Every structure is written in structure tokens, then in C-alpha cells.
Amino acid sequence: MFDILVIGAGHAGCEAAAAAARRGARVGLITFRAEDIGQMSCNPSIGGVGKGHLVRELDVFDGLMARAADQAAIHRRMLNRSKGSAVHGPRVQADRALYQAAMQAAMRATGLTIIVGEAEEVLIGGGRVSGLRLSGGQEIKASAIVIATGTFLDAKLFCGMQQVAGGRRDERAAVPLAHQLREWGVAQGRLKTGTPPRLDGRTIDWARLAPQPSDVEAWSMSALPLHDGPPQLACAITRTNAATHELIAANFDRSPLFAGAIEGRGPRYCPSIEDKIRRFGDRDGHQIFLEPEGLTSALVYPNGISTSLPADVQQRFVNSIDGLERARIIRPGYAVDYEYADARKLGTTLEHSSVPGLFLSGQINGTTGYEEAASQGLAAGLNAAASALGIAPHRFDRRSSYIGVMIDDLTLQGVTEPYRMMTARAEYRLSLRADNATTRLGGEALAMGISTERQRQIEAHLVDRAGPDWAATAEGQADEMYAPYVERQDREWAALHRDRTIRIPAALDFATVAGLSNESVERLSAARPETIDQASRIAGITPAALAVLHFASVRRAA
């Protein structure tokens, strides 16, 4: 008998299981293979703009991702360093093996039980979740269940016209569970993601490429100190070219993406290379970051050329790129087409409205990325434990966290394409900086079952913030610099709520409105709302986009 069962041991599942255990729940973690716990399925990196904010927030609640990233970081880069600190994006390139080892060690320390097997059926008793049935017939009782199956629900892998069932290379799909969720109306449709080919770094001509060194300035993902970290490596940059584009375009007919074999819609902000070339035919090249996968591994991850083209085409287009003329592909890239759920049927605790005791987190809710998955895992784990133990749930607020922004967006609007966190999604982004996560969320975290070490770190931070020397710290200086802008932001948001009937100029070209994302421009242009109130009801139009649209409408009417 467990309080909580977590299905899936990826980023969402690990954080959910650990968060529930920290709140005092008896947790069972179900996975196909114990050795795959904490695996980085795609890019061996953590963080970025918006994503790094999530990791820092996760860290405040004693989440695992930031500490594992620090222990495995072989390349650190603060993105957007030349801009204001509100949009600084901490990002680390991780040694894949070191990251997984750190995550598995952290999971063992929680005292949870690892159960190797396949979850086939969620059991119901007394009108709520009562446990699980595994593929061998074994039944396990539990008061709440967190489903964190990632891309595994009835998933299919595509490399050219070759198609196999599976949620990841050499791993099977979760088919029976997908069927049950479909019958219950939990599953909504299909989405698509993908990964690039892995290259043999020994066959790359590094001397011809532009190096991208790690940051000289020391910083970390976690607020907890790391005394010893791995040595730092440089990444490198190259680009596709006209020959690359011609070769890929000539093989569009061999792409499962364009042949209609792939049902799901892929991520707007991380398209495959064949999709880039079809959509952006006027570009003379697309940037590729060559990222080493580890200190002892020859594998290199070419960030920017995710593809599902046949393996022979992949090898030829890779060899058309500067510095990669002799590069050898060790593992071809592929696409994953998988089932996902309608997040609008979840409450802000991530509990399903029709199945009490059932919580969903991660890519099953339509998101893309490790950081988005892990943050949902934290929320689902905290609240599943609350449900099972009869204690207060925790709801993240979009005014004080990017985790709150994401959960609010997902549960209110749902998705039609994979959701990725960006700073533009947060209307309060000037006050939601990566460097002030402890200030914003430390008080909440103290009540959520965190380690003594974490508790001391948060309490010391909050004491320092109240002290006379705070204004001299980097965070204090940023607070002072942003203060007038935050006040203006608050006034503008109050005005938006007051002026919801303001008319949007009929001739307004949404593409000319500074601050609107391409996604928002596309949705607004299709719907042509007449008022701010109408715009607020368009799926995918975030509060941040509404604030920008309100300002533009008022300015043009003046």
C-alpha cells in the first residue's frame, strides 16, 4: 500500500516522486527499466531563457534538477547577458552520464520504492483512484496516482518511412494505459517531437568551427553550494547552407512529416530542419550548436537539425555542412508521435476534474522540454501528497512564478501544439527574474517539506534581504533598477482589466505590434477580435499578449 504511485521516471516523474516523498508520502515509482531513471532523452542541457527561470523556481522547493545540472555541468552560459536581468537565461550543457547518476543518487536518498514494470490500468474504488494494475496482473493500492509518461503513450518512432512503436529509441510504448485514458476521455490527440542525429566528435573538423566557450564568471543553477564540479568544455557553432537546403528539399517526398505519416503537430519554436527549410525558404542558413554529450563520450549533439528524414539523407546533409564534411552519424535522428491529454480538464493542482486522485504532469499535458516537465512534476507531486495525506494543496500563482504561468496557461487554454516556456508568456516578467526566485517563493517553500539544508539557505537569504547591505547585492541592485518599471507594469495591467471593452483598431496589423509573439500574431490575425475582451477569449492568447495588445490599442486610439 502506497500513498502515491508515480508512473514514469523521466524529469516529471522524478520530481513528482521526490516532492511527494518530501511531504511525507509513501511513494512508489513505476518505470520500464530502473537504469533509465533520470535519463536525458534528447538535448543534454538544462535551462535557457524562461526555462532557466523554471529550474531556479524548482530549486527553491528543493527540486532535484538544478543540483543535478550543477553536478554534471560541462559548459555554462548565461543567455541574454547583454540584456536586463529579467530575461537572463541560465543554461548548462550537462554530461549526460553524470546528470543521470546525480539524479539517481538523489532519488535513492528520498527513500521511495522503485517498481520495475508496466502500468496497464488505473484502478477506481469508491469514486476515486485506488491503485494500479501492472502488466503481469499485480495490483498495487494507492490513494493517488501521478501519470508522467512523457512521450510514451501509444507512441510511434519515425525515421524516414520506417515506423516502430516506442516512446524512445530501443524502448517500448505505453499502449494499454493509453487505451484506458482514451476510453475515459482523458487523452485528447497527438503531438510530435524529434531529436537530431548524434555525431562522432572525433570526425568533426573542430579547427574550422567558431568556438563557444563556457562563461568565465562562475554561477550555478542551484542556490545550494557546489564545492567541486566537472571541468568545462567549449561548444562550437556552424550553419547549414544552400547545398544543405537543396539536398533536404530534394528528399521532402521521403519525409514522414510531409507524407502525412506523422499525425501530431510539432513544436513551433523548435521545428525540425526539414520544417525550417519548407517554412523559411528565404533563409540562407540555419545555425547549429555542436554540443558535446560528456567528458568521456565521443557523441556530439548538433542542436538545430532535429529530423525524421531517412538515415542516408541525414548522413548526406550533415556532410554538406562546414566542419562536418567527414562527420559520421552514430545514431540517426528520429521523430516521436505520441498521445497527450487535454490539460483544460485539470485543476490548478494538476488533478483531473473527472477522476479524483489522478494527477498528470509533463509532456502528457502538451508541453515540451525537461524544465517544463520537471516543474509540473513538482506541482503534481506536492498536490498528490496533499490529496493522499489530507493536507493543504499548493497552488502556484502566475503573479509570483513561471510555474504558475505555465500551469495557468495549460489548464485554462490547453494546447494545440507543444507548449514551451518563454519570458513573453508572463505579464509580470519584470518581477519574475531568475535571480530572485528565492525571494519570491522562499516563504511558500518553507511550508512544503524541504531539507534542513534548504530551509537554512532560504531563511538566511530572507534575513539578508531585510538587512542594511541588501541594496549592494546584485539582486538588490536589480530590484532598485526595475522598481519603477514594475510599478508601471502593475498600472498597465490594472488598466487592462478596467478597459476590457476598448476596441481594437479594425486596420491594426498585429505583426507590427512590438512584443507580440509570432504565435499570438497568427491567432489574432485569424480571429480578428474587435475588443480586448474578445481577444482574451481566443485560445492561446496569454495575459502577457493581452497587455501588449491593450497598450497598442490605447496608443493608436489616442
Side-chain angles (χ1 to χ4, degrees), residues 199 203-206 208-209 238-239 241 290 315-329:
L199 308 182
T203 61
I204 294 173
D205 190 351
W206 297 99
R208 295 184 53 199
L209 303 174
T238 186
R239 294 179 66 84
N241 51 55
L290 298 173
Q315 185 65 69
R316 281 185 285 149
F317 84 64
V318 162
N319 293 147
S320 72
I321 297 168
D322 289 346
L324 305 183
E325 291 87 351
R326 298 178 182 274
R328 183 172 67 88
I329 291 177

Side-chain angles (χ1 to χ4, degrees), residues 6-72:
V6 178
I7 305 172
H11 302 285
C14 285
E15 296 290 356
R22 290 195 298 270
R23 292 204 86 178
R26 294 167 296 170
V27 180
L29 178 63
I30 299 171
T31 179
F32 281 151
R33 302 190 304 195
E35 60 269 28
D36 290 334
I37 292 174
Q39 183 176 157
M40 305 177 92
S41 300
C42 193
N43 190 0
S45 72
I46 299 292
V49 180
K51 290 171 172 283
H53 293 67
L54 290 173
V55 179
R56 289 276 177 84
E57 292 175 0
L58 183 63
D59 182 59
V60 177
F61 288 83
D62 224 10
L64 310 180
M65 177 171 275
R67 281 175 286 162
D70 284 339
Q71 292 175 52

